[in-house]
Amino acid sequence: MLIVQISDLHVGSQFLQNKFDQLVDEVNHLNPDVIVVTGDLTNEGLMQEYEECKTLLKKFNTKKIITISGNHDYRNTGYLLFKKFFPFEAINELSDDVVLVTLGTARPDRNEGEVGYRQNLWLERTMKKYKDKVKILAMHHHLIAIPDTGSDQLTVVDAGDVLRTILDTKVDLVLCGHKHRPWEWNFGKLMVVNAGTATSERVRGLFENTYNIITVSNKSIHVELKIVGGKRMKLDDIVTNYHQFGEE
């Protein structure tokens, strides 16, 4: 199974149309089974941004697109529009072996993320039903802080409770967006993968516009990073070869 994770499109004032056109060509060439958009589809949560984004996503050729709301999508009462333009199912049985579950972490007029007590209980009950499957969890906000993103106060505020649930129910992969910085935390059984921004001009540091390519085969997960219009590499190479700007 081939899954493409794109994130933080920011359709609106920060949107790069030329990057999106390249992205569509590349992703359609991959012919993925599923595309997961991990939040911030729009920049200000405005009606015209939602309308444009809905039209743009139709350019992808795939069996299924799963969309998750981000904090930018919830601005200006955009939370009232998201379900109208992007109706979604929280539980997605992608195959006999793979299930993808989404969490809503965005809250109106707040930048930090939150899962909440009720949704966390729901997550625990849900994941326990899929003991023998590869379990993927997708959300907008990053669950664990990422290097080179400053003093971090925008992670999921109840991340400890959510991590306990994730580990207890043996989730295999968590997909996050939000920080515009690709990264991977590999804890052996659990991988937490963050996507960069695919089409926004607000890239962080030396990074370019990127997206993630996830291959699931025989219950094994392999994640690659793809620069829009550029090279493809193992995401964990970013971690292994990490150094701060200015270091030799």
Side-chain angles (χ1 to χ4, degrees):
M1 170 167 290
L2 189 67
I3 302 170
V4 167
Q5 180 197 9
I6 62 176
S7 196
D8 295 84
L9 304 179
H10 288 279
V11 171
S13 60
Q14 297 181 14
F15 183 67
L16 299 173
Q17 182 67 55
N18 63 321
K19 291 293 182 182
F20 183 81
D21 293 340
Q22 284 182 298
L23 176 69
V24 169
D25 288 342
E26 291 179 11
V27 171
N28 284 348
H29 182 72
L30 290 170
N31 192 28
D33 298 288
V34 184
I35 296 174
V36 183
V37 191
T38 45
D40 282 356
L41 284 73
T42 67
N43 198 52
E44 296 294 337
L46 301 173
M47 175 74 78
Q48 61 267 29
E49 293 176 349
Y50 274 109
E51 290 173 342
E52 183 181 357
C53 188
K54 182 77 171 180
T55 299
L56 289 170
L57 290 187
K58 290 179 181 177
K59 295 184 178 183
F60 288 110
N61 297 324
T62 184
K63 299 172 187 175
K64 190 177 186 68
I65 296 181
I66 299 170
T67 54
I68 302 165
S69 57
N71 55 302
H72 279 258
D73 300 314
Y74 269 32
R75 290 181 175 179
N76 302 305
T77 63
Y79 56 90
L80 299 175
L81 299 173
F82 189 86
K83 287 184 180 180
K84 169 183 168 63
F85 282 92
F86 300 106
F88 63 92
E89 296 176 352
I91 303 172
N92 302 269
E93 296 191 38
L94 303 181
S95 72
D96 292 339
D97 297 321
V98 182
V99 62
L100 189 150
V101 175
T102 66
L103 286 179
T105 59
R107 300 292 181 267
D109 298 316
R110 285 168 54 186
N111 286 325
E112 74 275 16
E114 181 180 7
V115 171
Y117 178 70
R118 292 179 184 275
Q119 194 175 201
N120 192 37
L121 283 177
W122 171 86
L123 176 66
E124 185 173 19
R125 290 195 301 266
T126 300
M127 286 302 192
K128 283 184 175 179
K129 296 176 183 176
Y130 297 102
K131 290 182 179 180
D132 299 323
K133 289 184 182 256
V134 172
K135 295 183 284 294
I136 302 173
L137 176 64
M139 64 182 76
H140 174 61
H141 288 83
H142 54 304
L143 194 62
I144 304 173
I146 306 165
D148 299 329
T149 57
S151 179
D152 190 352
Q153 297 178 333
L154 300 178
T155 53
V156 174
V157 295
D158 49 352
D161 295 314
V162 182
L163 273 169
R164 185 209 61 79
T165 297
I166 287 169
L167 292 170
D168 186 52
T169 58
K170 296 180 172 55
V171 171
D172 298 281
L173 175 66
V174 179
L175 302 177
C176 307
H178 187 53
K179 291 297 279 189
H180 297 207
R181 173 69 152 88
W183 193 256
E184 175 186 286
W185 292 114
N186 193 330
F187 301 108
K189 169 62 177 169
L190 171 67
M191 276 197 298
V192 180
V193 168
N194 299 275
T197 172
T199 59
S200 165
E201 64 184 9
R202 191 160 60 87
V203 294
R204 290 191 180 273
L206 302 177
F207 276 91
E208 302 176 68
N209 294 100
T210 62
Y211 58 98
N212 294 331
I213 302 169
I214 300 146
T215 306
V216 183
S217 178
N218 296 323
K219 298 191 177 181
S220 178
I221 299 171
H222 180 69
V223 184
E224 294 175 286
L225 176 74
K226 178 67 175 68
I227 297 171
V228 178
K231 63 181 179 179
R232 178 173 171 174
M233 68 197 81
K234 293 179 181 179
L235 182 55
D236 58 18
D237 284 350
I238 299 291
V239 179
T240 303
N241 300 316
Y242 171 80
H243 61 84
Q244 291 185 320
F245 179 67
E247 292 182 345
E248 294 296 333

